């Protein structure tokens, strides 16, 4: 009987689950739907002839056999990446041109640090960068107009490859003289929905995440629709009204007291910040390096 060679994407998923502690979190790390991830894990366990993950209400833990398989999977994936690098190796004069686009929050808060480290590690790479909203980034990926995108929308279309590289959460912000600044308790989601907010434009990941958070609350029309995080922050600080923005986008203003955070009476789910690309299932070359740096 010929040997049964392992499927590398399945092993990548298995490693991600082991590191994240649950099938759902591991699936998000590799940009896969949870039902598909569960199916692949069942297939891997069938090939191993034993249980590799102990499922429970608090996540998934490795069995003793799973820990052994994890070590082997990590070693095999490392060799696979080394093999890919060998195939694509050229002399130091080789230049890769990478077209990158990022949503506003990622571009303002995270991408400068990622790009600086990337240039240090991959000096032969050159890049062009566009700052767009999430839906525009995804549209350019579909048309192959860019090589790599970073988005903050929780909804990704079928047919593009994705990998979660970071997480973020939405926060309610107000000016220091807004009535909510003196709120003794927590703000209800219903009151937030009844209040005209300063919001980002449709198509932005922040706007989509806010609308998803307010599903079922029948929110009133916004007070203003603005096309950048900076404009929204300025509007809030000047007293034009409350807003809901990425915590990353307002961290500096919260630290200085320019705006204040109003706690909600619900636990706001953390949202993924995701690298997206088309083509190969696993990114390669300078592209792979940038995705890896973003995920550190």
């Amino acid at each position: 009987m010929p040997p049964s060679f392992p499927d590398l994407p399945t092993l990548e998923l298995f490693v991600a689950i082991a590191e994240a502690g649950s099938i759902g979190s591991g699936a998000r790390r590799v940009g896969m739907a949870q039902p598909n991830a569960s199916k692949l894990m069942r297939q891997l366990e069938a090939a191993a002839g034993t249980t590799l993950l102990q499922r429970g209400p608090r996540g998934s833990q490795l069995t003793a056999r799973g820990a052994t398989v994890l070590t082997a999977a990590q070693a095999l994936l490392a060799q696979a990446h080394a093999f890919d690098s060998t195939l694509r190796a050229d002399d130091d004069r080789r230049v890769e041109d990478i077209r990158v686009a990022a949503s506003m929050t990622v571009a303002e808060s995270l991408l400068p640090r990622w790009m600086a480290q990337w240039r240090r590690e991959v000096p032969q790479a050159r890049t062009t960068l566009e700052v767009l909203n999430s839906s525009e980034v995804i549209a350019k990926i579909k048309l192959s107009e860019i090589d790599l995108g970073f988005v903050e929308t929780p909804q990704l279309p079928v047919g593009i490859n994705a990998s979660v590289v970071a997480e973020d959460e939405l926060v309610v912000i107000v000016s220091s003289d807004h009535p909510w600044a003196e709120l003794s308790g927590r703000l209800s989601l219903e009151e937030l929905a009844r209040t005209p907010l300063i919001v980002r434009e449709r198509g932005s990941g922040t706007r989509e995440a806010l609308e998803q958070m307010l599903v079922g609350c029948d929110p009133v029309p916004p007070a203003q629709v603005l096309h950048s995080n900076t404009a929204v922050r300025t509007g809030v600080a000047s007293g034009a009204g409350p807003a809901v923005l990425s915590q990353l986008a307002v961290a500096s203003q919260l630290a200085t007291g320019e705006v204040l955070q109003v706690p909600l009476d619900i636990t706001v789910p953390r949202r993924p910040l995701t690298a997206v690309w088309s083509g190969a299932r696993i990114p390669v070359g300078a592209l792979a390096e940038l995705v890896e740096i973003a995920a550190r």
Side-chain angles (χ1 to χ4, degrees), residues 20 88 90 132 137 149 161 225 272 280 282:
R88 298 174 184 279
D90 201 343
L132 308 166
V137 173
N161 296 310
V225 179
I282 301 174

Side-chain angles (χ1 to χ4, degrees), residues 193-211:
R194 290 194 299 267
T195 303
L197 303 173
I198 305 173
V199 300
R200 286 285 308 279
E201 78 283 3
R202 291 195 180 278
S204 76
T206 297
R207 177 72 176 269
E208 289 183 10
L210 171 61
E211 290 176 344

Side-chain angles (χ1 to χ4, degrees), residues 160-247:
I160 63 173
N161 296 310
S163 178
V164 175
V165 295
E167 288 185 328
D168 184 29
E169 64 181 273
L170 296 182
V171 294
V172 181
I173 58 170
V174 296
S175 62
S176 59
D177 58 357
H178 190 277
W180 289 352
E182 303 298 327
L183 197 65
S184 58
R186 291 178 174 269
L187 182 70
S188 71
L189 205 59
E190 290 72 21
E191 184 172 357
L192 181 68
R194 290 194 299 267
T195 303
L197 303 173
I198 305 173
V199 300
R200 286 285 308 279
E201 78 283 3
R202 291 195 180 278
S204 76
T206 297
R207 177 72 176 269
E208 289 183 10
L210 171 61
E211 290 176 344
Q212 190 175 68
M213 188 171 75
L214 295 178
V215 165
C217 292
D218 193 23
V220 300
Q224 296 182 29
V225 179
L226 303 176
H227 285 249
S228 75
N229 292 333
T230 300
V232 174
R233 290 194 302 258
T234 302
V236 172
S238 64
V244 178
L245 278 183
S246 153
Q247 194 277 334

Side-chain angles (χ1 to χ4, degrees), residues 251-263:
S252 297
Q253 289 72 29
L254 289 173
T256 62
E258 182 181 343
V259 297
L260 302 178
Q261 180 177 348
V262 181

Side-chain angles (χ1 to χ4, degrees), residues 20-23 25 54-61:
S22 73
I23 291 178
S25 296
Q54 190 68 48
R55 284 85 164 167
R58 296 187 177 181
S60 300
Q61 302 296 321

